[in-house]
């Protein structure tokens, strides 16, 4: 039996992701949201809703805040009335991924009320603004309207550049400035696109047993775009 081609002998190895506060990248696209989270415990409302696209850093900031506030964490879809008192006992709780696939509106309403009564704090993360959650309970709608909302915007050039460097560093890969600049000028400007592109470049470099250079990056982006020609100037 003949040996398999070398390009098929790749291993999908796990990579370490840095998630400390010092590793969070701050630019004009997200500095207002970071400042809002960092202002705890002096929030203007017991509830802060952190809104951002997938990969924008919501969970990262949530983890940092939970450590600082010694807060409990619950997925919005798992929130139940029976657990409200226990969650707020520590004085702070994070509710992740609201509204998700649906959540107990009554439970969230009572959790917010308990935070108000006990001077507690709730950090809610979501991919969408609360006005788009299709909440049916009028009292909860009122509570959500009173909450502070902070938004993590789409990455600007500075953040996109830093995000690419961090994504490669998390995979223990060094990429030179020419390759990073090439990506920033040509790629889709989103967190998801940055993650996807880094993964594809990592896989190509591993398969080809090659260093990550500007030329390798150009080939990956050309293949990804499905183009017959590619401007490599």
């Amino acid at each position: 039996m003949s040996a398999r081609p070398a390009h098929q002998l790749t291993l999908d190895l796990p990579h370490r992701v840095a998630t400390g506060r010092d590793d969070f990248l701050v630019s004009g696209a997200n500095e207002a949201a970071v400042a809002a989270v960092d202002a705890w415990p002096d929030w203007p409302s017991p509830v802060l809703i952190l809104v951002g696209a997938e990969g924008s850093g919501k969970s990262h900031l949530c983890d940092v805040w939970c450590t600082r506030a010694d807060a409990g964490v619950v997925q919005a879809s798992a929130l139940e009335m029976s657990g409200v008192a226990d969650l707020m006992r520590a004085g702070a709780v994070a509710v992740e991924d609201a509204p998700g696939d649906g959540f107990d509106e009554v439970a969230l309403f009572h959790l917010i009320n308990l935070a108000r009564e006990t001077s507690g704090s709730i950090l809610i993360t979501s991919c969408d603004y609360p006005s788009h959650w299709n909440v049916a309970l009028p009292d909860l709608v009122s509570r959500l309207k009173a909450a502070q909302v902070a938004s993590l915007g789409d990455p600007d050039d500075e953040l996109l550049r830093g995000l690419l460097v961090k994504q490669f560093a998390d995979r223990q890969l060094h990429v030179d400035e020419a390759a990073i600049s090439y990506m920033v000028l040509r790629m889709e400007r989103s967190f998801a696109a940055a993650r996807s592109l880094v993964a594809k470049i990592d896989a190509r470099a591993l398969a080809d047993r090659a260093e990550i250079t500007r030329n390798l990056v150009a080939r990956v982006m050309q293949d990804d775009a499905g183009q017959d020609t590619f401007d490599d100037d």
Side-chain angles (χ1 to χ4, degrees), residues 25-29 155-164 184 189:
L25 305 171
V26 180
S27 78
D156 53 21
D157 281 1
E158 180 185 6
L159 182 55
L160 191 59
R161 182 179 300 274
L163 183 64
L164 289 168
V184 169
R189 318 194 73 71

Side-chain angles (χ1 to χ4, degrees), residues 44-212:
S45 165
V47 181
L48 173 62
I49 302 175
L50 190 59
V51 178
E54 183 180 353
S56 61
K58 298 187 302 297
S59 292
H60 189 147
L61 283 179
C62 183
D63 287 345
V64 172
W65 179 78
C66 286
T67 298
R68 181 181 172 197
D70 195 22
V73 183
V74 63
Q75 289 290 311
S77 59
L79 182 61
E80 298 178 346
M81 272 296 300
S82 60
V84 165
D86 284 340
L87 283 170
M88 191 48 66
R89 188 162 287 122
V93 61
V95 180
E96 288 246 58
D97 300 324
D101 295 327
F103 65 96
D104 187 330
E105 296 184 13
V106 175
L108 182 58
F109 172 70
H110 282 282
L111 184 67
I112 294 174
N113 279 350
L114 190 55
R116 289 159 61 100
E117 294 166 5
T118 61
S119 299
S121 302
I122 302 172
L123 176 63
I124 302 175
T125 66
S126 179
C127 287
D128 209 348
Y129 288 92
S131 58
H132 299 158
W133 291 1
N134 295 319
V135 175
L137 186 65
D139 287 337
L140 179 57
V141 171
S142 177
R143 293 289 185 264
L144 294 174
K145 285 182 178 179
Q148 180 186 10
V149 177
S151 176
L152 294 159
D154 292 333
D156 53 21
D157 281 1
E158 180 185 6
L159 182 55
L160 191 59
R161 182 179 300 274
L163 183 64
L164 289 168
V165 171
K166 181 179 184 297
Q167 288 279 327
F168 282 116
D170 287 345
R171 295 169 177 268
Q172 301 180 16
L173 297 170
H174 172 74
V175 180
D176 63 30
E177 175 60 28
I180 295 294
S181 295
Y182 188 92
M183 285 181 265
V184 169
L185 287 173
R186 293 163 173 82
M187 66 179 289
E188 176 189 330
R189 318 194 73 71
S190 73
F191 299 98
R195 282 201 318 277
S196 176
L197 180 57
V198 168
K200 290 173 182 176
I201 291 170
D202 185 11
R204 173 68 69 86
L206 183 60
D208 293 353
R209 299 181 181 178
E211 293 184 359
I212 298 175

